[in-house]
Amino acid sequence: MATRLGLGLPQMRQYSIGKDVPEVARAAEQIGYESLWVFERALFPEPATQGLYGIEGLAWPDAYRSVADPLVTLTLAAAATERAELGSSVLVAPLHLPFQLAKALATLDAASGGRVVAGLGTGWSLDEYAASGVRPFEERGEALDEIIAVCRAVWGPDPVVHEGPLTKIGSAVVGPKPARPIPVLLAAGNGRALRRLVDHADGWLPVGMGAGQIAGQWRRLRELAEERGRTEPIRTVLRVNTERRAKPYEGTDRRPFQGSVDQIVADLVEHAAIGLDEILIDLQGTARDAAELTDVAAEVFEKARAAGV
């Protein structure tokens, strides 16, 4: 069976969000992409008080100066499409109030006919946590635990009841309900996060950093699931952040998914061999505009399918 392919929607400042998101979403569905994805970057601190991903000295990319809200972007895409799933990779869940996030996702799923995939993570930006004012960065794991619990309660049957440190729902009717159970996928890399995924989530959201590394992480996750007695399958969606160049990259230090379209497709082939369910291809960063993004997305899709992905 071919690996499912998804496309990252245009959220950055070179795009006209109201016009380009629906157009790219509609074109991607017609090309054959089976899912459409967003990410979350709430702000761009200036001057930066923290390096990218929390790594000292690593600069934030200029593209992060303007990133459209993920749920608004998915809503625009939902209205323009009929079949493609609508996912987040990732939504920095602790930046949001649990009840409001649960209700927004349920409403979007109901409106789209059951197409939402809730991909959640804890993020890394201290500035984003300070701006959100919901929970301190140090409590991000506990915040994510409660968000998952609140979502499950709100999406489930009435009356909804939840008692937690941030959210208290005594007994209430909460609608609309999702059209079907919304899958919760988590970005996870360490012990506690992986245990949370195995015990409370439907799937995993790795990031393409090299086929060998991903294969090793996937093996360890399956082993952990077996140790903890999980029998349900773990859905996997690999995010690949591309850096496309017109000419092939000739350096010996080329990173995965960096270079020409043919080089990116070759990396897709290598990663697809791991056996993950789906690959999300984000091409928006190096595209000049929506027209170029759509053209490159079509070329990547055609060549990937021809190569057996």
Side-chain angles (χ1 to χ4, degrees):
M1 180 181 296
T3 304
R4 286 168 51 94
L5 294 178
L7 182 69
L9 289 168
Q11 294 175 262
M12 297 176 180
R13 66 177 179 177
Q14 70 264 44
Y15 302 104
S16 173
I17 302 303
K19 174 179 177 291
D20 291 345
V21 171
E23 289 186 0
V24 171
R26 193 178 299 112
E29 191 174 68
Q30 292 170 351
I31 290 166
Y33 284 97
E34 296 174 88
S35 55
L36 303 166
W37 296 82
V38 294
F39 73 103
E40 182 160 32
R41 194 81 282 131
L43 50 72
F44 186 99
E46 195 171 45
T49 57
Q50 178 190 28
L52 186 69
Y53 310 129
I55 300 173
E56 185 176 356
L58 188 60
W60 289 52
D62 193 62
Y64 283 176
R65 288 181 178 275
S66 178
V67 177
D69 179 86
L71 293 181
V72 172
T73 303
L74 283 182
T75 302
L76 291 168
T81 55
E82 298 178 354
R83 301 178 305 279
E85 284 194 308
L86 307 161
S88 54
S89 177
V90 295
L91 196 72
V92 185
L95 303 183
H96 302 262
L97 292 169
F99 179 80
Q100 284 84 342
L101 179 59
K103 178 144 185 174
L105 290 168
T107 302
L108 181 57
D109 192 76
S112 65
R115 294 191 281 146
V116 170
V117 178
L120 310 178
T122 55
W124 48 266
S125 171
L126 299 176
D127 295 281
E128 290 182 339
Y129 271 80
S132 74
V134 178
R135 292 282 282 275
F137 180 77
E138 294 74 19
E139 298 176 13
R140 60 195 181 280
E142 294 85 349
L144 181 56
D145 288 335
E146 182 169 11
I147 286 166
I148 294 171
V150 170
C151 284
R152 300 292 194 199
V154 168
W155 300 341
D158 295 320
V160 174
V161 177
H162 176 82
E163 180 74 22
L166 193 61
T167 304
K168 294 175 173 58
I169 310 171
S171 179
V173 174
V174 184
K177 298 297 183 184
R180 91 308 188 211
I182 298 175
V184 174
L185 279 59
L186 298 180
N190 60 38
R192 182 177 179 183
L194 291 173
R195 290 191 295 273
R196 178 186 294 115
L197 189 160
V198 168
D199 295 344
H200 301 295
D202 301 294
W204 179 44
L205 294 169
V207 177
M209 302 295 288
Q213 180 178 346
I214 296 298
Q217 291 178 341
W218 178 220
R219 182 175 59 254
R220 289 191 292 273
L221 180 57
R222 295 197 306 272
E223 291 171 351
L224 179 63
E226 184 176 359
E227 291 172 7
R228 298 181 74 81
R230 175 172 177 143
T231 57
E232 299 87 355
I234 296 175
R235 178 175 174 179
T236 51
V237 181
L238 175 72
R239 163 178 274 277
V240 298
N241 299 311
T242 67
E243 185 178 326
R244 184 180 55 83
R245 303 185 180 197
K247 297 181 180 180
Y249 190 96
E250 298 179 354
T252 57
D253 58 344
R254 185 182 75 90
R255 300 188 305 273
F257 306 106
Q258 177 190 57
S260 67
V261 167
D262 288 340
Q263 288 176 319
I264 290 169
V265 170
D267 291 331
L268 288 173
V269 171
E270 185 179 11
H271 283 72
I274 299 169
L276 304 180
D277 297 316
E278 185 168 354
I279 300 177
L280 147 64
I281 307 166
D282 198 322
L283 299 161
Q284 66 175 305
T286 50
R288 292 187 302 270
D289 52 30
E292 182 179 0
L293 174 57
T294 301
D295 289 344
V296 175
E299 183 182 3
V300 169
F301 185 91
E302 179 181 352
K303 289 185 173 181
R305 288 300 187 223
V309 176

